[in-house]
Amino acid sequence: MLIEIGIKNFVLIEELRLELDPGLNVLTGETGAGKSIVLDAVGLLLGERFQSEQVRQGAERASIDGTFTAPPQKAFQLWWKERGFDKADTIVIRREGYPDGRSKAYLNDQPVTLATLQDLGSYLVDVHGQNEHQHVLKPSVQLALLDRLGGLEEKREAIEPLYHAWKRLLEQKNAKTLSEEERLQRVDVYTFQLGEIDKAKLKPGEEEELTARLPELKNTGKLQELAHSAYGSLYLDEGAALERLGQAQKAFEALAALAPSVVPLSQEVLEAKTRLEEAAHSLHAMVDRWQADPAALEDCLNRLDIISKLKKKYGASVDAVLAHAEQLRGELSRLENADAFRAELEKNLENARAALVHACEELSAKRKRAAKDLGTAVLDELGGLGFKQANFRCRVEPLPEPSASGRDHVAFEWSPNVGEGTALLKDIASGGEMSRVMLALKTVLAQADVIPSLIFDEIDAGVGGITAQAVGKKLKNLSKHYQILCVSHLPQIASCASAHFQVSKRVSKSRTFAVVERLQSGERVEELARLLGSQVTPTSVQHAKELLAQNQ
């Protein structure tokens, strides 16, 4: 939902900040007053290109900012997270334009591309009437809306894993389609590679063990010298550490006999002496291991060399090389038993496709029933919007092959006149027709669609009287599910608004300004009276009051 929009130095608007209502917001005003300027500003927030002439004459730059509530749907949350934004309750979009044609775009104060804003816009606002941002006209969106309307989302989601399982098997089949010559060549290559790995008889952790042992084999003389020195200092030499520690222990025992509080300290000294004796004995035992052994050193170096060569060929570690060997064994088994494997793969592929096709057929049957219900419901809505003889249908046709969303192509088709065949809605509907068709669609799909805000421009083109009243009522009802921003010339529609804004032009110091003001009750009556006739009269004022009372 669009909470607030700020506009500065944009076309005729010097500075404006509008707080929008969650329900039906209507903009009215004289022809040429600048009603479209506000919609153009929203369009820029949704990723349209800034034009240099949109910067108010004499200004260094134009700026527009909009604050939106963050949509709750999972698709948006995933989109938002993938682009590195922190979770937020509100979204702030800001655009800046300059007289030389440059422009900048920001999303929560981070620079972004227009493509990013266009993607984001598909989650925030649906614009109808100018064939821009028409989310509902996309075939993929029509398919998703039909599924939501028919309660078919779970069945659609169940098809996706079936489709991917079938595709994986199909890829395996294509990958395993080899000539006999290619098969034998691969058997030879894999047999050689596996033999080379098996011959080495690698063991997990072997490289680490050899790497740790190598410095000992290379430095036996130095190790012995240091070990003897350390052992002497601890145990053998006159005044060795253990000898002095033994003396200290006896002194502590004597102290403890006289002062019981020293007993814990005496125990600690005894434990330290015991650990030091164990260390000395362990060091003495290791000296025998550090004998010069050229053969052992050469074996260690050779073994590490073998491991290094295998790692360069087959993996970054011994574990990776061993894992590669297991893969080779499996691949060799498949190649050597190609006929049996191919037969099994064909059977699995056939079963996977059968399961997928069956699920697609079930979903298609339900989609066709839902499409018929949708067509009937939209026609009922269109009848009250001035299209008594129009035709609308949701066509469901099979695709050549299954997809992750089923095997159907969905298209909304339309014909405004009796006796004419239907064609794609996006191809033949005029701006005014499109707005009213979208109003009918949105009314039917109100519980299924997830875009929070709608903009209707030129929705009242070619309508009046009873039809205008019907359009206003439908907009009011639709605003229970969406926030709506609508530009209108009709009092029947404006009187249904929960927030009524008047756009007017004013001249000050030889400059023209567009001003947008939210009307209060008395001001609304006067504006509705103006919309009812060229002059405000007691009769038109009374009629305006009646309209307002009737539609609020």
Side-chain angles (χ1 to χ4, degrees):
M1 183 179 74
L2 178 56
I3 301 171
E4 183 181 62
I5 183 169
I7 304 172
K8 188 173 183 179
N9 294 324
F10 182 66
V11 193
L12 296 178
I13 295 177
E14 184 175 50
E15 189 163 4
L16 170 68
R17 186 154 295 276
L18 287 183
E19 293 183 8
L20 298 179
D21 193 83
L24 175 58
N25 301 267
V26 174
L27 292 168
T28 63
E30 299 278 2
T31 300
K35 296 183 294 298
S36 63
I37 296 176
V38 177
L39 299 192
D40 290 342
V42 175
L44 289 170
L45 295 177
L46 303 177
E48 292 182 7
R49 293 194 173 277
F50 236 118
Q51 305 298 323
S52 59
E53 58 269 21
Q54 290 176 316
V55 181
R56 183 167 173 79
Q57 187 175 359
E60 294 182 358
R61 66 177 179 179
S63 63
I64 300 166
D65 65 84
T67 302
F68 298 80
T69 53
Q73 63 260 41
K74 291 181 180 178
F76 165 76
Q77 299 295 339
L78 179 61
W79 182 92
W80 188 256
K81 185 177 180 180
E82 285 175 346
R83 281 150 186 80
F85 290 102
D86 295 331
K87 187 174 181 180
D89 294 328
T90 57
I91 298 167
V92 178
I93 302 173
R94 181 161 52 89
R95 294 293 307 276
E96 294 179 356
Y98 299 86
D100 60 2
R102 292 180 300 116
S103 71
K104 298 177 181 178
Y106 300 89
L107 179 53
N108 283 12
D109 290 327
Q110 295 187 32
V112 292
T113 64
L114 294 188
T116 298
L117 291 188
Q118 289 164 7
D119 284 345
L120 176 60
S122 67
Y123 294 104
L124 299 177
V125 181
D126 203 356
V127 182
H128 302 293
Q130 302 299 324
N131 294 319
E132 298 169 355
H133 299 285
Q134 301 230 359
H135 189 66
V136 176
L137 294 182
K138 298 176 182 178
S140 61
V141 174
Q142 292 175 359
L143 179 65
L145 286 173
L146 180 63
D147 287 345
R148 284 204 291 275
L149 184 70
L152 304 176
E153 291 175 296
E154 286 188 9
K155 284 194 170 294
R156 172 177 172 165
E157 290 171 359
I159 284 177
E160 188 171 356
L162 295 176
Y163 171 77
H164 289 306
W166 171 62
K167 289 295 286 184
R168 281 194 298 270
L169 290 169
L170 194 61
E171 289 169 1
Q172 285 183 30
K173 178 186 175 182
N174 294 335
K176 305 306 178 188
T177 303
L178 301 173
S179 67
E180 183 63 15
E181 182 180 356
E182 288 174 322
R183 187 183 71 82
L184 292 175
Q185 286 176 348
R186 291 195 183 187
V187 168
D188 286 344
V189 171
Y190 294 165
T191 300
F192 170 79
Q193 292 179 348
L194 186 58
E196 187 176 27
I197 296 172
D198 286 345
K199 182 180 177 181
K201 296 181 180 179
L202 299 176
K203 298 177 182 178
E206 180 182 9
E207 184 180 18
E208 291 78 4
E209 183 180 334
L210 291 171
T211 302
R213 189 182 174 198
L214 184 59
E216 294 186 11
L217 292 171
K218 285 183 173 181
N219 299 284
T220 54
K222 186 65 173 177
L223 288 169
Q224 283 190 336
E225 179 184 343
L226 291 171
H228 283 304
S229 174
Y231 186 68
S233 298
L234 285 174
Y235 191 75
L236 286 181
D237 297 347
E238 184 177 349
L242 280 168
E243 180 183 342
R244 299 292 299 274
L245 194 55
Q247 296 170 357
Q249 180 193 348
K250 290 179 181 179
F252 266 96
E253 289 175 351
L255 282 170
L258 298 174
S261 60
V262 180
V263 170
L265 296 177
S266 177
Q267 186 62 35
E268 288 181 16
V269 173
L270 177 60
E271 290 175 0
K273 180 174 178 292
T274 301
R275 286 197 296 271
L276 201 55
E277 285 175 343
E278 291 173 353
H281 292 314
S282 297
L283 182 61
H284 186 263
M286 295 173 72
V287 172
D288 293 336
R289 196 178 76 186
W290 291 327
Q291 301 296 324
D293 191 345
L297 175 60
E298 185 176 359
D299 287 346
C300 182
L301 291 171
N302 288 338
R303 191 65 179 164
L304 286 171
D305 184 58
I306 290 171
I307 291 172
S308 177
K309 289 177 180 178
L310 291 175
K311 282 168 56 181
K312 287 179 180 178
K313 289 183 178 181
Y314 306 119
S317 65
V318 170
D319 287 344
V321 174
L322 291 172
H324 183 70
E326 290 306 309
Q327 291 178 354
L328 290 174
R329 260 185 271 277
E331 191 64 26
L332 270 173
S333 176
R334 285 189 287 271
L335 289 170
E336 290 170 348
N337 301 279
D339 292 340
F341 175 73
R342 191 178 297 111
E344 182 182 2
L345 182 59
E346 288 286 357
K347 182 180 178 181
N348 292 339
L349 185 59
E350 182 180 348
N351 292 339
R353 182 177 175 82
L356 174 61
V357 169
H358 178 70
C360 287
E361 288 175 349
E362 280 193 342
L363 180 58
S364 292
K366 293 181 182 295
R367 278 173 171 166
K368 288 174 182 176
R369 289 195 290 271
K372 185 176 180 180
D373 293 341
L374 174 62
T376 301
V378 171
L379 278 176
D380 288 344
E381 296 293 336
L382 286 171
L385 294 173
F387 294 115
K388 299 293 186 182
Q389 305 296 325
N391 190 14
F392 175 90
R393 71 169 180 163
C394 175
R395 179 165 50 86
V396 180
E397 290 188 342
L399 293 169
E401 289 292 333
S403 70
S405 59
R407 199 175 181 176
D408 301 306
H409 172 75
V410 170
F412 291 170
E413 294 186 340
W414 155 260
S415 173
N417 303 307
V418 176
E420 295 184 6
T422 59
L424 292 177
L425 176 64
K426 68 182 180 66
D427 292 337
I428 65 170
S430 66
E433 290 172 342
M434 184 73 80
S435 289
R436 280 181 281 163
V437 172
M438 287 302 161
L439 177 56
L441 273 170
K442 289 293 182 181
T443 302
V444 173
L445 297 170
Q447 300 298 332
D449 203 359
V450 292
I451 297 179
S453 298
L454 307 178
I455 291 179
F456 288 100
D457 189 14
E458 296 185 356
I459 196 169
D460 55 9
V463 302
I466 296 175
T467 301
Q469 183 68 23
V471 170
K473 287 291 187 183
K474 287 193 185 297
L475 284 170
K476 185 176 179 64
N477 289 334
L478 195 60
S479 68
K480 297 175 183 177
H481 304 282
Y482 304 89
Q483 178 193 51
I484 298 176
L485 179 60
C486 175
V487 170
S488 180
H489 300 276
L490 298 179
Q492 294 92 333
I493 293 176
S495 63
C496 293
S498 54
H500 186 169
F501 298 92
Q502 183 186 48
V503 184
S504 59
K505 282 184 181 177
R506 298 177 185 174
V507 177
S508 176
K509 298 179 181 180
S510 301
R511 294 295 304 274
T512 302
F513 299 84
V515 179
V516 183
E517 297 175 307
R518 181 166 180 162
L519 301 180
Q520 304 305 317
S521 56
E523 296 167 325
R524 285 192 72 175
V525 170
E526 186 174 344
E527 175 65 2
L528 290 174
R530 184 192 66 79
L531 292 172
L532 283 164
S534 58
Q535 294 182 347
V536 176
T537 65
T539 301
S540 64
V541 168
Q542 182 59 34
H543 189 184
K545 289 180 179 179
E546 292 172 359
L547 263 181
L548 203 56
Q550 177 184 348
N551 293 323
Q552 288 299 303

